[in-house]
Amino acid sequence: IYGLHYGFTLVLLVLHPVCGDVSYSIPEEMKRGSVIGNIAKDLGLDLGRLSARKARIDTEDNNVQYCGLNLNTGDLIVQERIDREGLCARKASCVLKQELVLENPLELHRISIRVQDINDNSPQFKEDSLKIEIHESADKGARFLLDEAHDGDIGENTVQGYSLQQNDHFKLNVNIKDGGRKSCELVLDKELDREDKKEIMLLLTAFDGGSPQRSGTVVIHVTVLDANDNVPVFSQSVYKASLPENSPLDTLVITVSATDADEGVNGEITYEFDHVSGENSNTFNLNPRTGEVRVSGTIDYEKASVYEIQISAKDGLGLASYATLIIDITDVNDNAPVIYVKSLTNPIPENASPGTEVGIINVQDRDSDNNRQVRCSIQQNVPFKLVPSIKNYYSLVTTGQLDRELVSDYNITIIATDEGSPPLSSSKTVQLSVADINDNPPVFEEQSYSAYVSENNKPGSTLCSVTARDPDWRQNGTVIYSLLPGEVNGAPVSSYLSVNGDTGVIHAVRSFDYEQFRSFKVQVMARDNGSPPLSSNVTVSLFISDVNDNSPQILYPAPEGNSFMTELVPKAAHGGSLVSKVIAVDADSGQNAWLSYHIVKSTDPGLFTIGVHSGEIRTQRDISESDSMKQNLIVSVKDNGQPSLSATCSMYLLISDNLAEVPELKDISYDDKNSKLTSYLIIALVSVSTFFLTFIIIILGVRFCRRRKPRLLFDGAVAIPSAYLPPNYADVDGTGTLRSTYNYDAYLTTGSRTSDFKFVSSYNDNTLPADQTLRKSPSDFAEVFGDYSGSLEVGPECCIAALVVCFAFNVIESEYCRFSQRTRFYVSFTYSYIACVSFCVCLTLSMSSLFLFL
């Protein structure tokens, strides 16, 4: 029967345009998994995003969830057994309210499911048999009210009529009461005769209007008695009472009363509830003698707001009358709001922008009216707030920028308070963690670092340590150190320093030399392991301190083993006269380059003295005839380092006014170097002469054969070389050493009987600076020669060639003038000879060209 009934039941889908809600109409007792309707299609939702938006079915009061959602098809399906009688009892309209909740963004759709009654309940009588006692004196047409049959269904499926078994004495009369209920009564159709029949058995059938039709029966046992012609009569047909919920036990609700005109047993009335449902059977208690209705169970407005109870009053012989008791339950603020966390994003990235939704909160209160109005709030010292959304939903959003380095966890207390009197409140704590983002670069503890190391350090020695801090977490806060690419004196910085990537300790890769460089700077980078990584740089300045590792170097007298340097001292020199000077330098700096001069050995210790800081050798007294002509001094030069380093040199002095007076020096043969140089000078002199003669003949021949365009007479420049100094010479002011702008020359002449001593003078006083050039403008010659371009090229070319040769001899003179006076004489003579020849040739050619032009 149930299968046939379901087969013919139609599922009606009704869409209501009110607030975008959707309503369905379904029969009760549908099987689990049955499809109610496609809610995704009905609401126009994107089927593919149901799962991503966490679509789900919630109930308004979080009771039994009768429906579910198929995320793949969008179908609304039956999840639990739906019994209309259990949900709505005798209510004409039974609506099951559900909610469809979607997130991102939050949407709420109300679903009203109208549960239709099916004929699944048969009419039932309170008892299996009804006992009626009728006096035989009852008149024809006497009516005897029978108990109603009750059917859990409503509408057409409830009791629609009664039928009585065919008999000789009674017929059945069906009446319609208020609310459409039908009751029946026996009508005496033929007088009773107790002596004829003492008891009569009748079968009463109640049937409903469902399809298929259901019915229930009861046996009526009629006992024929003597006359009891009065039935109890209630003072009211309907009793109404009001009762607050949570009323204590034994609270008096109302007192019902009925009267019977009979006397004795026929007038004794007994009260009882007539067909009370199982849920209400223990809620109230009726005193059968007094008619007092008292509370015997828990009164909860949220479970039932109205009670409707049938009360019967019977006399001693079974005559009864009926009345209806309606009890209205008033709401009391006895339910505190309940907070539900429907969705929560945890942890939250610290770069979440203000206004980001991190959770959805649902607050419900089972009370009604003002007792159900709820205010929701959170504490004020957190960067979050609650934003009211749909109905009783709130969005938990951020109000400011989060920073994990300041606060990594938040305990948010949500407080919900209703508007009852007195108000009730509840709270719930939500814990949120802040996820780290790599938003902090490493920061060095100092803005710059300085390291000091002595030269000649050991490779691998520790110089200094840099430290950077990163407040981020885990790999975002792990710092790695490295050197930025760069160069120091043309070499990569990695060939000088290295840094430990984990500790930031900087080591020396090689040994440093103060004389090469005294300081340099490198860039150290600190990088974290985040994605993308962040970094910062710091400058590390390395200062190299000097160590006394260089001995003094003597520039004069030249420390060459084959040289024969002799200074000539006049016999007439007085005490304190300057006779020579020792020149020395030290590649170190500071006190390591402070030089002091000392005579460690001399032929006559009392004749000469040397300046401790200047190196100047002077006479201590006037020279006498008894002094030895040849004096040999050994001079020691010491620096001021710890330990001190030194160098020595020998100085040869001749006390004489003329070299001719020194017979030992007249036959001194020059060394091989001077002899070779003299030969070279003679060969060069002959070659230059031959070259000039050949060049002049060729030029003259060419001039007379053809004419050429005019050229510049001279457009060249010759730089005069500077004095010779050692390549590692260092300038030190105030340390007793000599600047590079001075040079001292001492020489002997052998061309006459007189000897000349050359005292201290600037070597560059009579030389031409390197940046000065000899130039001749073409305009200077244009005024004289006009447009003629014949033989004016001979003069400049000859002059250029002559000056080139002169330059070469000047270099030779500067380089070898220290060895002997004779070599210097040869060089000077050759230089003068070539210059005169060049000048004469140039003048002759120029005059001849001018003559030809005129």
Side-chain angles (χ1 to χ4, degrees):
I1 294 176
Y2 287 115
L4 291 175
H5 182 77
Y6 286 131
F8 289 97
T9 301
L10 296 178
V11 178
L12 299 179
L13 171 63
V14 180
L15 295 177
H16 295 276
V18 180
C19 299
D21 296 343
V22 62
S23 298
Y24 296 92
S25 180
I26 64 171
E28 64 173 327
E29 301 293 345
M30 290 184 69
K31 293 183 179 180
R32 290 183 175 89
S34 299
V35 177
I36 299 174
N38 193 306
I39 194 169
K41 180 179 179 181
D42 297 337
L43 292 176
L45 301 176
D46 185 1
L47 183 61
R49 287 184 49 81
L50 290 180
S51 179
R53 296 184 64 183
K54 300 180 182 179
R56 62 183 180 273
I57 301 297
D58 281 350
T59 61
E60 286 190 348
D61 296 327
N62 286 285
N63 292 327
V64 179
Q65 189 167 344
Y66 293 97
C67 299
L69 179 63
N70 189 328
L71 298 179
N72 295 325
T73 62
D75 291 333
L76 184 67
I77 61 175
V78 177
Q79 187 167 299
E80 294 293 337
R81 174 176 176 265
I82 302 177
D83 183 13
R84 193 204 65 80
E85 290 74 39
L87 290 174
C88 303
R90 302 290 301 174
K91 291 182 180 178
S93 176
C94 184
V95 178
L96 179 64
K97 294 184 179 181
Q98 304 283 291
E99 293 178 344
L100 173 62
V101 181
L102 298 99
E103 299 182 9
N104 296 320
L106 178 64
E107 290 185 30
L108 181 65
H109 298 277
R110 290 178 293 182
I111 305 171
S112 297
I113 301 175
R114 189 177 300 278
V115 182
Q116 295 180 345
D117 182 53
I118 64 174
N119 192 23
D120 59 340
N121 292 283
S122 299
Q124 292 181 353
F125 289 91
K126 181 180 178 182
E127 298 176 353
D128 295 334
S129 63
L130 297 177
K131 293 181 179 182
I132 301 177
E133 295 178 349
I134 303 176
H135 288 273
E136 61 180 353
S137 59
D139 297 333
K140 182 181 178 180
R143 298 174 180 272
F144 304 94
L145 186 64
L146 300 178
D147 289 343
E148 291 182 21
H150 293 273
D151 194 331
D153 300 323
I154 61 173
E156 293 295 328
N157 295 326
T158 190
V159 177
Q160 296 297 320
Y162 298 87
S163 63
L164 184 64
Q165 180 184 4
Q166 188 68 30
N167 63 89
D168 297 331
H169 296 278
F170 298 95
K171 64 180 181 178
L172 189 64
N173 185 33
V174 178
N175 299 320
I176 299 177
K177 292 186 175 182
D178 295 338
R181 295 202 317 271
K182 294 181 179 181
S183 63
C184 62
E185 55 186 4
L186 285 175
V187 178
L188 186 62
D189 189 50
K190 182 181 179 181
E191 291 80 4
L192 297 176
D193 187 1
R194 184 177 177 276
E195 289 70 25
D196 183 39
K197 185 177 284 188
K198 186 178 180 179
E199 293 182 352
I200 300 174
M201 304 296 292
L202 301 175
L203 181 62
L204 178 64
T205 302
F207 55 89
D208 58 25
S211 177
Q213 191 178 64
R214 294 174 177 269
S215 62
T217 60
V218 65
V219 176
I220 303 175
H221 188 195
V222 179
T223 303
V224 181
L225 299 176
D226 287 334
N228 180 21
D229 54 355
N230 292 293
V231 296
V233 178
F234 280 99
S235 61
Q236 301 177 182
S237 61
V238 177
Y239 291 89
K240 292 185 178 181
S242 179
L243 181 68
E245 67 172 326
N246 300 328
S247 295
L249 297 178
D250 205 34
T251 299
L252 178 62
V253 179
I254 196 173
T255 300
V256 297
S257 64
T259 60
D260 195 321
D262 295 327
E263 295 181 353
V265 176
N266 295 331
E268 293 181 358
I269 299 175
T270 302
Y271 302 95
E272 62 179 9
F273 289 132
D274 181 47
H275 196 79
V276 180
S277 63
E279 294 181 359
N280 300 328
S281 60
N282 297 323
T283 306
F284 300 99
N285 180 33
L286 176 61
N287 191 314
R289 295 297 179 185
T290 63
E292 294 180 346
V293 179
R294 293 183 179 272
V295 176
S296 61
T298 302
I299 306 299
D300 191 353
Y301 175 86
E302 287 69 41
K303 289 184 178 180
S305 60
V306 177
Y307 292 90
E308 185 175 344
I309 306 173
Q310 296 293 323
I311 300 177
S312 65
K314 293 182 180 181
D315 58 19
L317 296 179
L319 296 180
S321 62
Y322 299 90
T324 301
L325 174 61
I326 299 176
I327 304 174
D328 292 324
I329 307 300
T330 58
D331 184 43
V332 174
N333 189 27
D334 59 339
N335 291 283
V338 181
I339 301 172
Y340 298 96
V341 179
K342 295 295 184 179
S343 178
L344 188 65
T345 301
N346 197 14
I348 313 167
E350 63 176 322
N351 61 348
S353 59
T356 301
E357 183 180 85
V358 298
I360 297 176
I361 308 300
N362 177 242
V363 182
Q364 297 185 5
D365 194 317
R366 298 180 60 193
D367 295 322
S368 62
D369 299 331
N370 290 338
N371 297 332
R372 191 170 186 170
Q373 301 300 318
V374 179
R375 299 186 308 272
C376 201
S377 63
I378 61 176
Q379 68 267 37
Q380 300 299 320
N381 58 345
V382 293
F384 299 92
K385 69 176 181 179
L386 287 176
V387 178
S389 186
I390 304 172
K391 199 177 178 181
N392 52 353
Y393 282 86
Y394 295 84
S395 294
L396 181 63
V397 299
T398 60
T399 59
Q401 193 67 43
L402 304 178
D403 191 347
R404 191 205 65 84
E405 287 70 42
L406 295 177
V407 181
S408 60
D409 294 283
Y410 290 94
N411 289 323
I412 303 173
T413 301
I414 303 173
I415 302 173
T417 305
D418 60 27
E419 294 185 359
S421 180
L424 298 179
S425 63
S426 61
S427 63
K428 189 177 186 68
T429 300
V430 178
Q431 184 176 9
L432 289 175
S433 300
V434 181
D436 183 48
I437 299 296
N438 190 25
D439 57 346
N440 291 282
V443 178
F444 285 93
E445 292 183 349
E446 300 182 15
Q447 294 183 351
S448 62
Y449 291 84
S450 299
Y452 299 88
V453 60
S454 300
E455 65 174 330
N456 304 327
N457 59 294
K458 292 182 179 180
S461 59
T462 300
L463 302 181
C464 68
S465 175
V466 296
T467 303
R469 307 294 181 185
D470 194 322
D472 291 326
W473 193 46
R474 289 186 176 176
Q475 70 271 12
N476 294 334
T478 302
V479 180
I480 300 175
Y481 303 92
S482 62
L483 289 176
L484 290 179
E487 291 188 353
V488 177
N489 287 353
V493 68
S494 58
S495 62
Y496 290 91
L497 301 176
S498 66
V499 62
N500 188 305
D502 297 327
T503 63
V505 177
I506 299 178
H507 302 277
V509 175
R510 63 166 66 176
S511 179
F512 301 115
D513 188 355
Y514 177 83
E515 286 69 42
Q516 291 183 357
F517 51 86
R518 302 181 180 184
S519 65
F520 62 89
K521 295 181 179 180
V522 297
Q523 293 286 327
V524 178
M525 180 180 69
R527 175 181 58 84
D528 58 30
N529 269 340
S531 178
L534 300 178
S535 63
S536 60
N537 303 333
V538 71
T539 301
V540 179
S541 301
L542 181 64
F543 299 95
I544 304 170
S545 58
D546 184 43
V547 174
N548 191 26
D549 57 345
N550 291 280
S551 301
Q553 183 178 0
I554 299 176
L555 304 180
Y556 184 84
E560 298 185 10
N562 295 328
S563 65
F564 186 75
M565 301 298 295
T566 304
E567 298 286 356
L568 196 60
V569 181
K571 292 182 178 180
H574 298 287
S577 298
L578 176 64
V579 296
S580 185
K581 182 173 183 178
V582 177
I583 302 174
V585 295
D586 196 316
D588 295 322
S589 65
Q591 65 177 7
N592 295 328
W594 295 351
L595 303 181
S596 60
Y597 302 84
H598 308 277
I599 298 177
V600 297
K601 184 178 181 181
S602 65
T603 304
D604 188 350
L607 183 56
F608 297 100
T609 183
I610 189 170
V612 176
H613 301 295
S614 64
E616 295 178 347
I617 300 176
R618 297 178 181 272
T619 57
Q620 295 190 74
R621 56 179 174 78
D622 295 342
I623 297 176
S624 64
E625 294 294 336
S626 60
D627 292 328
S628 175
M629 180 180 296
K630 294 187 289 183
Q631 297 286 332
N632 184 15
L633 302 180
I634 298 177
V635 179
S636 173
V637 182
K638 294 183 180 180
D639 58 26
N640 198 36
Q642 293 296 330
S644 176
L645 301 178
S646 63
T648 59
C649 66
S650 297
M651 179 70 71
Y652 299 94
L653 302 177
L654 291 178
I655 302 176
S656 175
D657 292 330
N658 196 324
L659 289 177
E661 299 178 358
V662 187
E664 294 81 353
L665 299 178
K666 290 180 180 181
D667 298 329
I668 294 178
S669 61
Y670 299 102
D671 55 12
D672 293 338
K673 183 184 294 186
N674 293 337
S675 299
K676 292 180 180 180
L677 180 60
T678 303
S679 301
Y680 294 154
L681 291 176
I682 295 173
I683 294 172
L685 185 61
V686 175
S687 300
V688 169
S689 300
T690 304
F691 170 74
F692 270 106
L693 291 176
T694 304
F695 182 75
I696 293 172
I697 294 172
I698 294 174
I699 292 301
L700 290 177
V702 173
R703 289 298 184 184
F704 285 105
C705 292
R706 61 185 179 87
R707 300 177 64 183
R708 301 175 61 185
K709 295 181 180 181
R711 295 184 179 178
L712 298 182
L713 178 64
F714 187 73
D715 191 14
V718 178
I720 307 303
S722 61
Y724 166 79
L725 284 176
N728 59 349
Y729 175 71
D731 292 341
V732 180
D733 294 337
T735 59
T737 60
L738 197 63
R739 293 183 176 270
S740 60
T741 56
Y742 290 95
N743 190 21
Y744 292 87
D745 296 327
Y747 59 91
L748 298 177
T749 60
T750 58
S752 65
R753 298 295 297 172
T754 60
S755 298
D756 297 328
F757 182 81
K758 186 176 180 180
F759 286 91
V760 179
S761 63
S762 173
Y763 184 79
N764 293 327
D765 289 342
N766 299 322
T767 59
L768 185 66
D771 59 348
Q772 296 181 10
T773 58
L774 302 176
R775 297 183 181 271
K776 193 67 176 179
S777 173
S779 61
D780 297 338
F781 296 92
E783 298 176 358
V784 180
F785 299 102
D787 297 331
Y788 178 73
S789 58
S791 58
L792 295 178
E793 284 185 329
V794 178
E797 294 166 350
C798 294
C799 293
I800 291 172
L803 289 178
V804 169
V805 176
C806 293
F807 174 73
F809 278 102
N810 190 25
V811 172
I812 296 173
E813 178 187 15
S814 301
E815 179 66 25
Y816 294 98
C817 65
R818 297 179 299 168
F819 293 105
S820 65
Q821 299 295 330
R822 181 172 297 178
T823 302
R824 186 180 181 91
F825 171 75
Y826 287 151
V827 173
S828 300
F829 173 77
T830 304
Y831 176 85
S832 302
Y833 170 75
I834 294 174
C836 292
V837 170
S838 300
F839 177 75
C840 293
V841 171
C842 294
L843 182 60
T844 302
L845 294 178
S846 299
M847 294 301 294
S848 63
S849 299
L850 181 61
F851 176 76
L852 292 174
F853 171 74
L854 296 176

